[in-house]
Amino acid sequence: MLYSNHNLYKMLGRIAGLLSLLGIGLYFTGWIYRWAYFAYFQLEVTTLDLPFESFFIVPIQVFFGNISSGKFSTFFRTIVIAIASFIIVPNIFHLIQFLTQKLDKILNELRLKLLKWSLKTKHPKIPQNIQSFLYFQQINYQKYDKVLINEIVIFTWLLTALFFLGQSQGKIDAIRDSRNETSFLPVVTLITPENRLPLGRKVDDIGDDPNVSSFRVIGDLELYKDLLQGDYNNKTDPNYPQVVWRLLIDRDGQYYIFPSLSKNDQANAHPPVVVIQQSDRGEYVVILSPEAPP
């Protein structure tokens, strides 16, 4: 009975250890994914104060992608990385053993040469550190903790694989969401009282001059003017640039919105992000939609 309880406790301890490692791996993957995703929009994930538990949900997107929509590329990539891990990691074990044995051989040969030199030299005063090395017991690979070395290799390779999966999927999803034709982010319409926001213009006056403003500008003036030219999506004028604004995230009383890019834009193109402070007096009206109406 005592032996059975001992085995049960041992098994529960192993399960607890595996769950701890699983939690660390999921959190690490979720953090890397969020870091890569928001870095594409020039935002730092540590400034967004995201919920802690959300980092454990994100890895589902990293490992499986959008299987429900019929896209299996992410899932296949995860399978390829897993298969490659089972092939590469054992080879790393053999490579470490081979290199360690070579190093042992070189050090032992050096030890013997120094020992012969110390016997022939006319200067018997050898530094203390050399003496300790000469009479140190022979180096042997078998005395190394191979289990610890293997665990370090597995842990390092696992973190590397998770980093690659999280970083690549985060960037892929960010590029997808920044393009209007493929974005999963909601279309946003922000309505504010007059003169409460530097961007935007009067609804009843599309021709309102955006350059006339009582606001002061710090930074790149051309970027501000470019945003003013695309702050209003006027579908009635074919000469007017068609810009669809989307909501990136809503955190800590701030709206992060951006003008979505076109599918023809280059992969290294990044949209500017506008951060708008929410009002606690109900002055702002925010309209969200899956897509822009025709």
Side-chain angles (χ1 to χ4, degrees):
M1 185 65 178
L2 293 176
Y3 180 76
S4 178
N5 290 337
H6 176 73
N7 288 340
L8 177 61
Y9 293 148
K10 189 175 181 180
M11 181 183 67
L12 292 177
R14 290 179 178 177
I15 293 176
L18 290 175
L19 290 177
S20 299
L21 291 177
L22 178 62
I24 294 173
L26 290 177
Y27 182 83
F28 176 79
T29 305
W31 199 95
I32 294 299
Y33 173 87
R34 287 280 179 82
W35 163 74
Y37 183 89
F38 288 108
Y40 177 82
F41 294 97
Q42 313 301 313
L43 295 175
E44 178 58 48
V45 66
T46 55
T47 64
L48 299 177
D49 193 23
L50 298 173
F52 177 80
E53 59 274 10
S54 67
F55 291 94
F56 294 96
I57 302 175
V58 169
I60 298 176
Q61 172 74 9
V62 175
F63 298 142
F64 300 101
N66 301 313
I67 295 180
S68 59
S69 61
K71 297 181 179 179
F72 297 92
S73 58
T74 301
F75 183 62
F76 288 152
R77 182 177 61 211
T78 302
I79 293 177
V80 170
I81 293 296
I83 295 175
S85 299
F86 283 108
I87 297 175
I88 294 176
V89 170
N91 290 325
I92 294 178
F93 294 158
H94 294 305
L95 179 61
I96 292 177
Q97 181 177 356
F98 174 78
L99 294 178
T100 308
Q101 290 175 345
K102 282 291 185 181
L103 180 62
D104 290 348
K105 184 178 180 180
I106 293 174
L107 292 177
N108 289 328
E109 291 177 353
L110 179 61
R111 172 178 171 274
L112 292 176
K113 289 181 180 180
L114 288 175
L115 184 58
K116 292 178 181 180
W117 171 79
S118 64
L119 296 175
K120 295 179 180 180
T121 183
K122 296 180 180 179
H123 304 280
K125 293 184 178 181
I126 303 175
Q128 187 66 30
N129 56 348
I130 296 181
Q131 290 184 10
S132 61
F133 178 76
L134 292 178
Y135 295 100
F136 190 77
Q137 60 182 351
Q138 187 176 6
I139 302 173
N140 194 332
Y141 171 76
Q142 301 299 329
K143 295 182 179 180
Y144 298 156
D145 191 345
K146 291 186 289 185
V147 175
L148 177 61
I149 294 176
N150 292 346
E151 289 180 351
I152 293 175
V153 170
I154 294 174
F155 188 74
T156 303
W157 177 262
L158 181 61
L159 289 182
T160 303
L162 293 178
F163 179 89
F164 171 77
L165 290 173
Q167 191 269 346
S168 58
Q169 190 62 37
K171 185 176 181 180
I172 290 173
D173 289 351
I175 295 176
R176 177 204 63 198
D177 287 342
S178 67
R179 269 59 178 176
N180 183 48
E181 294 80 5
T182 58
S183 181
F184 287 170
L185 299 175
V187 173
V188 61
T189 299
L190 180 67
I191 304 175
T192 65
E194 185 178 357
N195 297 329
R196 291 291 295 173
L197 191 66
L199 295 175
R201 51 186 84 191
K202 299 177 182 178
V203 177
D204 57 351
D205 187 4
I206 298 177
D208 187 28
D209 186 3
N211 294 316
V212 178
S213 174
S214 60
F215 293 96
R216 298 175 181 270
V217 178
I218 298 176
D220 195 317
L221 183 60
E222 296 302 323
L223 176 60
Y224 177 64
K225 290 181 178 180
D226 289 341
L227 289 176
L228 286 174
Q229 295 300 323
D231 58 354
Y232 195 99
N233 196 7
N234 181 17
K235 300 184 180 69
T236 61
D237 187 357
N239 297 321
Y240 198 84
Q242 300 300 304
V243 180
V244 177
W245 286 74
R246 295 185 178 271
L247 176 66
L248 176 62
I249 192 174
D250 173 12
R251 291 296 301 165
D252 295 333
Q254 292 179 324
Y255 297 116
Y256 293 79
I257 64 176
F258 67 93
S260 55
L261 303 175
S262 170
K263 63 180 180 180
N264 297 325
D265 289 312
Q266 297 180 356
N268 58 354
H270 300 268
V273 177
V274 178
V275 183
I276 299 175
Q277 185 69 37
Q278 298 178 12
S279 173
D280 56 358
R281 293 179 293 179
E283 296 176 327
Y284 294 172
V285 176
V286 179
I287 303 174
L288 300 180
S289 174
E291 58 184 12

